[in-house]
Each structure stands twice: as C-alpha cells, then as structure tokens.
Amino acid sequence: MKHAVMIMGYGDGKIVQNTIDVLDDPEIDFFIHWDKKFDIPEFKSVHSQIYFVKNRRKVYWGTDTQTMVERMMLEEVYNTHRYDYVHLISSNDMPLMTPDYFKSYFEKKPYAIGFLDYIDRQIYNRAKYYYPIRYMKLKTGVRFYMIIKNLEYINTILGVDRLKHKILEKGCNWFSMDIKYVKRVLDFKDFKMFKNTFTGDEFFIQTILRDLKPKGLTEKYDYYSDDYRMTRSSAMASRYIDWLNGHGKPYVFTTDDVDRLKTVVNTDYAFGRKIDDEAVITDTFKDYLSNKGE
C-alpha cells in the first residue's frame, strides 16, 4: 500500500523535516503545499519522494483558501494514480507512529475521519452565511470578533441561506482515508458550497462523506463541552489533539510533554497536534531515530 502524506505548510519547515525523518520509507511519500507568503524550505529524505504542489497560493486561517488548497492537493495526488491512501496534516503536526506500524495500522483502517455529534446554530451559520473574507488575516481579538459578527448581522438582515435543502456535517479537518474516498470528494458537484464560508475546512470532508459518520453520533450531548467534543472528533481521525487543555484551540505540546506523547506512540494516533518546537519530535522518537541511523 502506497501512502501520500499531504502537508499544508508555512514558516521555516523545521518541524516538517523531522516528520519526514521519522516516516521516511519507500511506501510513504510527501506532497507539500507551502503557503505562498513564505519561501519554500529545502527538505531531504532517504527513501520517501517529496513533491511540491505546483500552483501555490496564499493561505489564510478560517477562510476558504484552506479548503481550496486541500482540494487541489487531493486532486494532484489522485491524478498520479500511484497512491492507495492519503493523509492530511499541517506543518505544526508530528508523527506518532513509526513507518512499519503506520503502514500496518492503515491496512486495517479504510478511513480515519472525525465527526461531531451535532452542529449548533452558531457553527451552522459559518456555512449558511456568505463570508467575503478570502484574503483577510483573521486572528482572535476584537478585530476578528467585529468582522465576523458584523458579517453575520448583515447576512441575517438580508435573509441569506446558502444551505437550503442541504445537509451539513462537521469535525476535525485533518484526516486519513483510502483513495476511493478521494475520488468521491473530487466528484462532488457542489464544491462552491464550501467557498466564502468561515472555517469551511471543518465541513468539507465530513459533509461529502457524511454516510461514514458513526450511527452513535446522531444524538445531541449537551453536557459535553465543545473542547471535549473536538478532542473526541480528533481521536476519530487518529489525531492526538488536546482541546481540553487548549481552551478553545489545540494545546501546544512542548518538550515537557514528551513522556506523555511517548505513551501514545504506535497506538491509535497517527499524528499529534500542535507543536512549535521540532525537539518535541526528536525527543519523542530519540531511540527510534538513533537505531534507524545505525
């Protein structure tokens, strides 16, 4: 089975190089889109092939640029006709499996896609309303809050509803899946429903492949916090993401968390998120990398 790890990257690339070092294997290749706002770093491998997506674009958090790049990467991988499985990660993710375990694990798992049990009205409006924010730098704070709230107010006044007669699902935006599901995503005729949305990448895969949602997630569990639900959704996607300690966003693992991360290596988590220091990877996989170099 041939794997394509798609990386949405930005910055200096040091974390990505360490990810490649761990997963370097003849059956695992890397397809990289590097945000056009940054220079492309140089990466190296011994066994894996490394490809860069040709048509780079600037990516802005929360906008449809993320979803557009995601689809572009899926299309590029699919059109090679060389891969059986795809994985989407960011340049702030780390591997949590060694190559042999990684390959064996996904042989028995046709997909790892995270869903939420339900979508509340506030989240639903992120796809229902029209958000002309494609090239805006959205960050938390007063400016971010005012932009989104004002747009939602205008949409409400105008009676905008882009989701009439449509079903929406949401979950972790990072995923792993068999290539047959990539074809279904690319064949989806209504991609425009994900354009001009807010955080539309969290609806994209789940909405198109909504038949894969576990039946037990159809009920609404009000007593679970959103952070709990997102941590649970991430686990469904085989991602180790701690929303509970991040308080509304992914907790950033540091070298102080290495012992904790070692306990989930080669379990049910293919990748961990989020890290800002490449030493988290080298310390977690210190023994493996040392033996690999012998």
Side-chain angles (χ1 to χ4, degrees):
M1 180 181 286
K2 191 80 170 176
H3 294 264
V5 177
M6 306 183 307
I7 303 177
M8 293 184 67
Y10 67 95
D12 62 23
K14 291 180 180 178
I15 292 171
V16 170
Q17 182 57 65
N18 282 273
T19 293
I20 293 172
D21 291 344
V22 172
L23 290 177
D24 194 5
D25 184 273
E27 296 179 4
I28 302 173
D29 291 342
F30 297 88
F31 281 75
I32 301 172
H33 175 276
W34 212 255
D35 192 324
K36 201 172 182 178
K37 299 191 298 293
F38 299 87
D39 293 333
I40 300 177
E42 292 186 9
F43 298 118
K44 60 183 180 180
S45 64
V46 177
H47 303 291
S48 299
Q49 297 298 313
I50 301 172
Y51 305 96
F52 286 95
V53 175
K54 299 174 184 176
N55 299 318
R56 288 202 299 154
R57 65 178 305 153
K58 295 179 180 179
V59 180
Y60 297 93
W61 177 87
T63 74
D64 59 6
T65 57
Q66 292 179 286
T67 311
M68 293 164 74
V69 166
E70 187 176 324
R71 189 186 187 282
M72 182 170 61
M73 295 176 75
L74 286 168
E75 186 171 29
E76 190 152 328
V77 170
Y78 184 81
N79 286 340
T80 65
H81 304 292
R82 294 200 305 267
Y83 297 94
D84 306 294
Y85 217 102
V86 299
H87 313 263
L88 178 68
I89 66 173
S90 87
S91 54
N92 289 101
D93 294 1
M94 66 177 288
L96 286 174
M97 293 179 177
T98 54
D100 287 345
Y101 189 94
F102 182 87
K103 293 184 293 183
S104 176
Y105 180 82
F106 285 107
E107 279 183 2
K108 303 182 285 288
K109 195 175 184 70
Y111 58 87
I113 300 171
F115 290 86
L116 289 186
D117 49 347
Y118 74 98
I119 302 175
D120 62 29
R121 183 165 298 279
Q122 180 182 4
I123 298 300
Y124 186 83
N125 288 344
R126 294 181 178 182
K128 174 184 175 180
Y129 292 156
Y130 181 86
Y131 293 85
I133 57 175
R134 183 169 296 167
Y135 303 111
M136 290 186 182
K137 297 179 180 180
L138 298 174
K139 296 292 183 182
T140 56
V142 175
R143 179 177 177 273
F144 160 80
Y145 180 82
M146 293 303 296
I147 289 173
I148 297 302
K149 288 304 176 184
N150 285 336
L151 285 172
E152 290 175 347
Y153 177 74
I154 294 170
N155 275 273
T156 301
I157 295 298
L158 296 177
V160 174
D161 185 357
R162 304 172 61 208
L163 294 178
K164 287 181 179 178
H165 313 299
K166 296 179 182 179
I167 299 173
L168 192 72
E169 295 289 353
K170 180 183 184 294
C172 177
N173 54 321
W174 313 106
F175 60 82
S176 298
M177 62 185 179
D178 188 282
I179 199 70
K180 67 182 179 182
Y181 298 113
V182 175
K183 185 178 189 307
R184 286 183 53 188
V185 170
L186 296 176
D187 287 345
F188 186 69
K189 302 300 183 183
D190 194 18
F191 179 70
K192 65 181 181 181
M193 73 176 286
F194 305 109
K195 291 186 176 182
N196 297 299
T197 56
F198 175 43
T199 64
D201 57 325
E202 296 178 349
F203 305 115
F204 178 41
I205 297 299
Q206 287 79 2
T207 297
I208 298 174
L209 301 177
R210 60 182 178 272
D211 58 302
L212 303 181
K213 180 178 179 178
K215 304 303 180 186
L217 286 182
T218 57
E219 298 179 35
K220 178 178 176 179
Y221 301 107
D222 284 328
Y223 50 87
Y224 287 143
S225 69
D226 285 343
D227 289 338
Y228 175 89
R229 294 167 64 237
M230 281 304 295
T231 299
R232 187 182 184 193
S233 176
S234 301
M236 290 175 60
S238 296
R239 267 56 176 181
Y240 191 61
I241 306 177
D242 183 357
W243 289 84
L244 291 168
N245 288 308
H247 306 295
K249 57 185 178 181
Y251 170 74
V252 179
F253 295 106
T254 69
T255 51
D256 291 336
D257 300 299
V258 166
D259 288 341
R260 173 184 172 189
L261 291 167
K262 284 182 177 180
T263 66
V264 295
V265 168
N266 288 344
T267 58
D268 285 320
Y269 299 101
F271 299 97
R273 174 173 177 82
K274 181 178 182 181
I275 66 171
D276 291 333
D277 182 357
E278 67 271 18
V280 179
I281 300 178
T282 55
D283 288 358
T284 300
F285 286 91
K286 182 177 180 180
D287 293 340
Y288 171 75
L289 292 171
S290 177
N291 293 332
K292 189 177 183 180
E294 293 178 354

